[in-house]
């Protein structure tokens, strides 16, 4: 009789676990969908900052401690957020109407996410990789790295 009870308990635990797991896929996408939209909204804010040349608009997409890094003119460059937005001109670029920006992918888990975007600015195409963090319920760019490719190179 003790063996039957132990076997029955194991079977009940297995069924309970299976039932719990069957609900997991229906719960996770709701949060992911909301967070995915929030991450995409941050990248769109970043795009608006680029499009307008407005440092205040750009700053809203980032956490204050963010760094922006890449290779510029063949050399490694690293900027704080203040240095990065300090390079903005305050007005749209002359060729703004021909520039294209797209979010290529978003991957997130809990409070961490990464996104890839392509920005076509005339003869230069930038590939930006963003690491985002959700702090106190708010998503922001923690760091950005980029690659720039000039047409014909």
């Amino acid at each position: 009789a003790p063996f039957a009870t132990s076997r029955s308990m194991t079977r009940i635990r297995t069924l309970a676990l299976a039932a719990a797991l069957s609900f997991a896929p229906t719960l996770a996408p709701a949060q992911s969908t909301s967070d995915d939209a929030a991450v995409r909204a941050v990248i769109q804010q970043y795009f608006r900052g680029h499009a307008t040349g407005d440092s205040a608009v750009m700053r809203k997409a980032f956490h204050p401690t963010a760094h922006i890094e890449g290779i510029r003119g063949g050399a490694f460059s690293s900027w704080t957020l203040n240095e990065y937005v300090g390079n903005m001109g305050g007005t749209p670029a002359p060729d703004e109407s021909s520039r294209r920006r797209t979010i290529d992918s978003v991957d997130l888990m809990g409070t961490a996410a990464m996104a890839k975007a392509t920005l076509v600015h005339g003869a230069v195409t930038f590939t930006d990789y963003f690491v985002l963090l959700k702090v106190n319920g708010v998503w922001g760019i923690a760091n950005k790295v980029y690659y720039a490719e000039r047409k014909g190179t």
Side-chain angles (χ1 to χ4, degrees):
F3 178 72
T5 304
S6 176
R7 220 166 110 192
S8 296
M9 290 304 292
T10 301
R11 186 177 181 139
I12 290 170
R13 282 189 214 124
T14 302
L15 290 173
L17 179 59
L21 290 175
S22 70
F23 289 107
T26 60
L27 297 176
Q31 179 189 3
S32 296
T33 300
S34 171
D35 283 331
D36 183 85
V39 167
R40 290 175 184 276
V42 170
I43 304 304
Q44 290 296 334
Q45 177 73 31
Y46 170 83
F47 288 170
R48 276 191 297 284
H50 259 284
T52 61
D54 186 333
S55 63
V57 171
M58 179 65 83
R59 188 180 294 279
K60 290 178 184 176
F62 288 88
H63 285 296
T65 57
H67 278 82
I68 296 84
E69 297 179 327
I71 305 299
R72 188 174 184 96
F76 174 73
S77 66
S78 179
W79 297 298
T80 65
L81 177 59
N82 287 336
E83 291 168 332
Y84 183 66
V85 299
N87 291 329
M88 301 190 77
T91 58
D95 65 346
E96 178 53 40
S97 63
S98 67
R99 293 182 172 197
R100 295 187 326 272
R101 300 170 182 89
T102 57
I103 299 171
D104 302 320
S105 64
V106 171
D107 183 12
L108 64 94
M109 182 59 68
T111 58
M114 61 181 178
K116 176 184 175 189
T118 301
L119 298 82
V120 180
H121 293 185
V124 180
T125 298
F126 291 91
T127 302
D128 288 353
Y129 293 95
F130 303 93
V131 176
L132 298 96
L133 192 61
K134 187 176 185 181
V135 178
N136 297 323
V138 179
W139 285 100
I141 299 168
N143 290 295
K144 179 192 113 159
V145 297
Y146 65 90
Y147 170 74
E149 184 173 28
R150 185 166 296 281
K151 287 181 186 172
T153 59

